[in-house]
């Protein structure tokens, strides 16, 4: 029985397979001829047209929510429906068809969806019939466009002037949107550049929180503007500060310190290369009568403007200036009277001091006193026109430099003696005038030379 069935099934196998294939082809032909109906859904943005009808009224249309998205489906032959996409349709809302007599703030505008092809055989069924529109007062404002550069130029360079042309933008649209605009800005990338750059960019609208404002309902009189950034040279330049006035008596200005000692400035290469130091003028810091360090803060920006340069970082313009005031110390030096230089002494006279040392009170900074010795001090005694006798006179004291000052007077007592009278006293008899050495004789010349040498020894 089983064999008989198998034989029956396998008999004429080729004819049976051909029958099956023919059936499939016949079915496809029937389906293709019949082309059954199919459906497909779409959602596309709605184009609002004839806005000028509303703007002429001094109003601006504002779309409520997402009502400007048209949702619909199509039905028609499968062969056509399956091959259609969103690009094959357009949706418009004609504001001239708006019924202004409708109650409430929200107005309805019919959405019209059309097929760009196969329109005769495609049926469009709208799910969203209208867009919802509110009318707002139209507001127009002008804004100055701020320009800025983003990024860091190449080493040794800094951002100079950044300008935008035109620098004024007129924005119009719904009052609720325009009123939120706080500023308009543009930027240009200068990362790694070493020469001037420019670009055409779209102005960006910002609110007071610096968030971007974007709305299709806004109109700008400039779609793009040109921004240009100058790239200047940059260099660290030392800062120096002068002072005016003098500290109180017994005090000295040790120096002036600036922190930071240098500032990074930028400017055109020719201008910057001519600047070796930035000087804060003396009238800024006054040390008159100071007895301790004087500290102040100086804004260096005005002095940079005078030099036609500016700071790379505007936050580094405050310079801390410290005028260092130190109290002087007093030290007593014992100066040998034999080192006093004598001038104006008659060659017939001799001069004797009653002491070997004279005290000199010297005031200066401690570190300067430590390096001062008697050998560095010069003392001068002028005895011009003085006759033999005992005198008290003031020495003229000189120090190495102006770091030292003499405290009080350097007075010293001395005696001038007539050499001839001294010889008479030593011999016990008056000297005959005829026995006095003749200045024109050789012996007299030798005595005069001796006196001169002795005077020179005293002077040295």
């Amino acid at each position: 029985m089983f064999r008989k069935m198998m034989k029956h099934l396998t008999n004429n196998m080729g004819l049976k397979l051909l029958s099956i294939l023919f059936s499939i082809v016949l079915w496809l032909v029937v389906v293709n001829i019949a082309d059954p109906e199919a459906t497909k859904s779409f959602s596309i943005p709605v184009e609002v047209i004839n806005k000028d009808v509303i703007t002429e009224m001094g109003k601006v249309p504002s779309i409520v929510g997402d009502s400007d998205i048209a949702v619909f489906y199509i039905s028609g032959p499968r062969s056509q429906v399956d091959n259609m996409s969103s690009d094959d349709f357009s949706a418009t809302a004609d504001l001239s068809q708006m019924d202004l007599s409708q109650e409430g703030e929200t107005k309805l505008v019919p959405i019209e969806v059309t097929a760009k092809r196969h329109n005769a055989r495609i049926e469009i069924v709208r799910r969203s019939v209208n867009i919802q529109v509110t009318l707002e007062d139209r507001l127009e404002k002008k804004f100055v466009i701020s320009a800025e550069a983003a990024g860091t130029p190449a080493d040794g360079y800094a951002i100079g002037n950044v300008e935008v042309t035109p620098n004024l933008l007129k924005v119009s649209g719904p009052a609720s949107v325009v009123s939120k605009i706080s500023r308009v800005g543009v930027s240009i990338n200068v990362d790694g550049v070493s020469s001037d750059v420019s670009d055409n960019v779209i102005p960006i609208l910002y609110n007071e929180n610096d968030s971007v404002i974007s709305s299709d309902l806004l109109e700008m009189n400039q779609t793009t503007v040109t921004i240009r950034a100058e790239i200047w040279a940059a260099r660290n330049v030392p800062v120096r500060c002068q002072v005016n006035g003098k500290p109180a008596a017994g005090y000295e200005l040790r120096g002036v310190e600036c922190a930071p000692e240098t500032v990074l400035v930028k400017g055109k290469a020719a201008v910057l290369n001519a600047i070796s130091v930035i000087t804060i003028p003396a009238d800024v810091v006054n040390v008159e009568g100071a007895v301790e360090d004087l500290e102040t803060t100086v804004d260096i920006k005005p002095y940079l403007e005078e030099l036609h340069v500016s700071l790379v970082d505007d936050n580094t313009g405050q310079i801390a200036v410290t005028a260092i005031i130190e109290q002087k110390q007093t030290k007593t030096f014992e100066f040998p009277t034999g080192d006093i230089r004598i001038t104006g002494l008659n060659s017939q006279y001799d001069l004797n001091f009653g002491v070997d040392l004279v005290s000199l009170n010297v005031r200066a900074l401690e570190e300067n006193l430590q390096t001062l010795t008697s050998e560095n001090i010069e003392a001068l005694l002028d005895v011009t026109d003085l006759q033999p006798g005992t005198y008290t006179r003031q020495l003229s004291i000189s120090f190495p430099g102006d770091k030292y000052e003499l405290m009080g007077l350097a007075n010293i007592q001395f005696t001038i003696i007539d050499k001839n009278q001294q010889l008479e006293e030593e011999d016990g008899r008056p000297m005959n005038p005829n026995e006095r050495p003749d200045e024109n004789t050789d012996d007299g010349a030798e005595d005069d030379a001796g006196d001169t040498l002795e005077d020179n020894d005293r002077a040295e």
Side-chain angles (χ1 to χ4, degrees):
M1 182 70 178
F2 179 74
R3 288 181 178 178
K4 186 179 289 187
M5 288 180 65
M6 291 300 295
K7 184 177 180 180
H8 180 74
L9 289 172
T10 57
N11 191 26
N12 297 322
M13 179 61 70
L15 183 60
K16 292 177 178 179
L17 290 174
L18 183 61
S19 302
I20 295 171
L21 180 61
F22 178 76
S23 299
I24 294 173
V25 172
L26 182 60
W27 180 83
L28 291 174
V29 171
V30 171
V31 169
N32 187 56
I33 293 174
D35 200 2
E37 187 174 279
T39 61
K40 191 175 184 180
S41 61
F42 297 91
S43 60
I44 61 174
V46 177
E47 179 187 2
V48 180
I49 61 176
N50 290 325
K51 292 182 181 179
D52 55 337
V53 174
I54 305 301
T55 56
E56 288 176 359
M57 300 166 52
K59 300 287 185 179
V60 177
S62 180
I63 308 300
V64 178
D66 295 329
S67 64
D68 58 344
I69 301 298
V71 179
F72 60 94
Y73 69 89
I74 64 171
S75 62
R78 181 185 300 275
S79 60
Q80 295 180 2
V81 170
D82 286 347
N83 292 327
M84 299 190 78
S85 66
S86 298
D87 295 335
D88 294 319
F89 300 92
S90 65
T92 59
D94 189 350
L95 294 184
S96 65
Q97 303 300 317
M98 179 188 298
D99 185 2
L100 298 177
S101 64
Q102 296 173 2
E103 295 182 358
E105 296 181 356
T106 303
K107 312 298 181 182
L108 300 179
V109 181
I111 298 174
E112 183 69 27
V113 179
T114 58
K116 299 177 182 177
R117 63 190 182 98
H118 305 313
N119 190 39
R121 303 186 63 186
I122 294 296
E123 181 183 1
I124 301 173
V125 180
R126 293 177 295 169
R127 290 182 182 175
S128 53
V129 180
N130 301 291
I131 64 170
Q132 301 176 41
V133 178
T134 59
L135 300 181
E136 290 190 50
D137 291 334
R138 184 174 182 272
L139 179 62
E140 181 178 282
K141 290 181 67 175
K142 294 180 180 179
F143 298 89
V144 176
I145 303 174
S146 61
E148 60 183 20
T152 304
D155 290 343
Y157 295 89
I159 302 169
N161 293 326
V162 182
E163 300 175 344
V164 59
T165 306
N167 67 342
L168 196 64
L169 183 70
K170 184 168 62 176
V171 182
S172 60
S176 61
V177 180
V178 175
S179 61
K180 293 179 180 178
I181 301 174
S182 176
R183 68 179 183 92
V184 179
V186 291
S187 66
I188 186 171
N189 185 9
V190 297
D191 204 35
V193 302
S194 57
S195 60
D196 298 350
V197 290
S198 63
D199 194 10
N200 293 324
V201 296
I202 300 174
I204 306 298
L205 311 178
Y206 297 91
N207 63 16
E208 61 181 7
N209 297 323
D210 231 25
S211 298
V212 176
I213 295 176
S214 178
S215 175
D216 295 336
L217 300 176
L218 294 176
E219 296 180 358
M220 298 184 294
N221 68 325
Q222 299 288 340
T223 55
T224 62
V225 293
T226 300
I227 182 173
R228 181 176 182 271
E230 294 182 347
I231 304 301
W232 291 347
R235 182 166 59 88
N236 277 303
V237 180
V239 179
R240 299 289 182 267
C241 183
Q242 300 175 342
V243 298
N244 69 87
K246 292 183 178 181
Y251 293 83
E252 183 172 319
L253 176 66
R254 282 287 310 275
V256 182
E257 295 180 351
C258 295
E261 296 179 348
T262 62
V263 290
L264 183 60
V265 298
K266 61 184 179 181
K268 300 204 172 170
V271 175
L272 190 59
N273 292 337
I275 300 174
S276 59
V277 65
I278 299 169
T279 302
I280 299 173
D283 58 358
V284 175
V285 180
N286 187 359
V287 298
E288 186 67 33
V291 296
E292 61 183 8
D293 293 352
L294 181 63
E295 298 180 355
T296 187
T297 301
V298 179
D299 185 359
I300 202 171
K301 293 179 185 177
Y303 312 112
L304 297 180
E305 293 175 358
E306 295 175 0
L307 299 173
H308 304 291
V309 295
S310 58
L311 292 167
V312 172
D313 184 356
D314 286 337
N315 297 322
T316 60
Q318 300 299 312
I319 306 297
V321 178
T322 303
I324 302 174
I325 308 298
E326 185 173 328
Q327 187 174 10
K328 296 180 179 181
Q329 306 297 321
T330 301
K331 182 178 180 180
T332 300
F333 290 84
E334 299 297 336
F335 190 84
T337 54
D339 293 338
I340 297 175
R341 187 161 61 93
I342 302 171
T343 62
L345 182 63
N346 190 306
S347 61
Q348 300 297 322
Y349 299 155
D350 200 359
L351 188 148
N352 293 325
F353 294 104
V355 294
D356 294 329
L357 300 171
V358 60
S359 296
L360 302 177
N361 294 322
V362 182
R363 185 166 69 179
L365 296 179
E366 184 175 359
E367 63 181 29
N368 294 328
L369 288 176
Q370 292 175 354
T371 61
L372 183 66
T373 62
S374 298
E375 287 76 11
N376 304 131
I377 303 173
E378 292 185 359
L380 175 67
L381 178 62
D382 186 4
V383 295
T384 302
D385 297 331
L386 292 185
Q387 300 300 315
T390 300
Y391 302 91
T392 299
R393 290 289 185 272
Q394 181 179 346
L395 294 174
S396 176
I397 305 298
S398 298
F399 298 104
D402 57 356
K403 302 176 182 179
Y404 308 91
E405 58 179 318
L406 181 67
M407 302 301 296
L409 301 177
N411 292 329
I412 190 169
Q413 189 178 61
F414 57 92
T415 301
I416 297 177
I417 303 171
D418 187 330
K419 295 178 182 179
N420 296 325
Q421 182 179 356
Q422 186 178 17
L423 289 175
E424 291 177 356
E425 292 176 353
E426 290 175 354
D427 291 344
R429 61 181 178 82
M431 178 176 289
N432 190 326
N434 295 327
E435 296 177 356
R436 292 186 178 182
D438 189 351
E439 293 180 1
N440 295 325
T441 63
D442 291 340
D443 292 340
E446 291 178 1
D447 290 342
D448 290 343
D451 291 341
T452 302
L453 289 174
E454 184 176 354
D455 290 340
N456 290 337
D457 288 342
R458 289 196 189 97
E460 294 175 357

